[in-house]
Amino acid sequence: SQQGEEDPQALSIQEGENATMNCSYKTSINNLQWYRQNSGRGLVHLILIRSNEREKHSGRLRVTLDTSKKSSSLLITASRAADTASYFCATSGGGGADGLTFGKGTHLIIQP
Amino acid sequence: ETGVTQSPTHLIKTRGQQVTLRCSSQSGHNTVSWYQQALGQGPQFIFQYYREEENGRGNFPPRFSGLQFPNYSSELNVNALELDDSALYLCASSLRAPGGETQYFGPGTRLLVL
């Protein structure tokens, strides 16, 4: 079963605009991660935010985490055509390495 | 590139057959996890191996089994294949240590069961 739900399921924007994706989850977590997947290939890790953090930045990415609402958002600024992909949030409940629980993903299309 | 490799890239089997998928972890990683991703869905956790022992399992039946070898490479075996087993199978390696929560994924094996 899926732990999280990404919203929206699909998003189409113009190149240069900002893209925001949201993720909600159900149980308490240790950390939340965002991954990108291009055309059914392997997942690429983007960013990890721990349960005691509220915001994190990495290049054009900004992630927020609200544990009281069990939600996270991923903002991609100044989008590029190469950002076209599916984006997944994944939660981890235990310490160390354990299985991740993924949402269904947001399919992002950047139109040139 | 994550340094995680999987073989084969594609595979076609018929219902009832058995399949073995292989994964080579990133150097220095001691943990491997396997995921099943159906079309249009997010990956679902199958199981995880740490130091050659199963260390966590998702909601998958016993006909899904695995191995981890001393060099941290891994296999996923699926017996009595069903049509619904058609999916992309992903392995991910990680390091069981503080700060080692990030999992690094291979490119996947796409399995089609006819």
Side-chain angles (χ1 to χ4, degrees):
Chain A
S1 62
Q2 310 283 163
Q3 151 83 306
E5 291 288 336
E6 284 90 345
D7 171 56
Q9 290 187 355
L11 179 62
S12 180
I13 60 174
Q14 296 292 323
E15 194 168 21
E17 294 180 338
N18 295 341
T20 300
M21 290 159 270
N22 301 297
C23 166
S24 60
Y25 57 92
K26 298 174 183 174
T27 62
S28 61
I29 61 171
N30 178 268
N31 63 69
L32 185 144
Q33 304 179 47
W34 285 89
Y35 286 82
R36 184 186 75 212
Q37 185 177 41
N38 291 81
S39 302
R41 297 181 185 174
L43 281 77
V44 175
H45 180 258
L46 296 176
I47 196 165
L48 179 152
I49 187 166
R50 302 187 190 284
S51 59
N52 61 353
E53 297 176 309
R54 292 297 167 259
E55 187 171 314
K56 204 162 183 180
H57 296 253
S58 177
R60 294 185 296 114
L61 306 180
R62 173 179 167 254
V63 168
T64 63
L65 178 63
D66 187 336
T67 54
S68 66
K69 295 181 179 178
K70 291 187 169 58
S71 67
S72 174
S73 68
L74 171 66
L75 168 67
I76 303 174
T77 60
S79 63
R80 305 167 181 169
D83 295 330
T84 294
S86 291
Y87 291 81
F88 295 91
C89 68
T91 56
S92 171
D98 60 1
L100 297 174
T101 305
F102 285 85
K104 293 185 178 181
T106 292
H107 186 54
L108 176 65
I109 298 173
I110 308 299
Q111 299 186 9
Chain B
E1 292 292 326
T2 63
V4 180
T5 60
Q6 291 186 244
S7 62
T9 55
H10 295 80
L11 201 53
I12 300 175
K13 291 285 189 178
T14 56
R15 193 171 47 183
Q17 285 189 315
Q18 178 266 342
V19 69
T20 297
L21 310 182
R22 294 178 175 83
C23 172
S24 181
S25 298
Q26 187 173 102
S27 177
H29 285 180
N30 55 16
T31 303
V32 65
S33 304
W34 284 90
Y35 295 83
Q36 180 195 67
Q37 186 178 21
L39 200 60
Q41 301 293 314
Q44 294 216 0
F45 174 62
I46 303 175
F47 46 56
Q48 182 179 89
Y49 277 79
Y50 171 63
R51 291 187 174 176
E52 302 174 52
E53 294 205 358
E54 187 178 296
N55 183 56
R57 190 177 184 95
N59 188 27
F60 281 81
R63 61 189 184 85
F64 285 79
S65 63
L67 285 172
Q68 185 184 30
F69 300 101
N71 65 356
Y72 302 128
S73 64
S74 175
E75 288 182 355
L76 164 66
N77 299 290
V78 187
N79 293 322
L81 284 166
E82 300 177 0
L83 299 179
D84 285 349
D85 295 334
S86 295
L88 180 68
Y89 288 85
L90 297 161
C91 79
S93 74
S94 55
L95 178 63
R96 177 157 290 190
E101 301 92 336
T102 298
Q103 296 191 10
Y104 296 88
F105 284 79
T109 293
R110 190 165 295 281
L111 173 65
L112 177 61
V113 182
L114 302 176

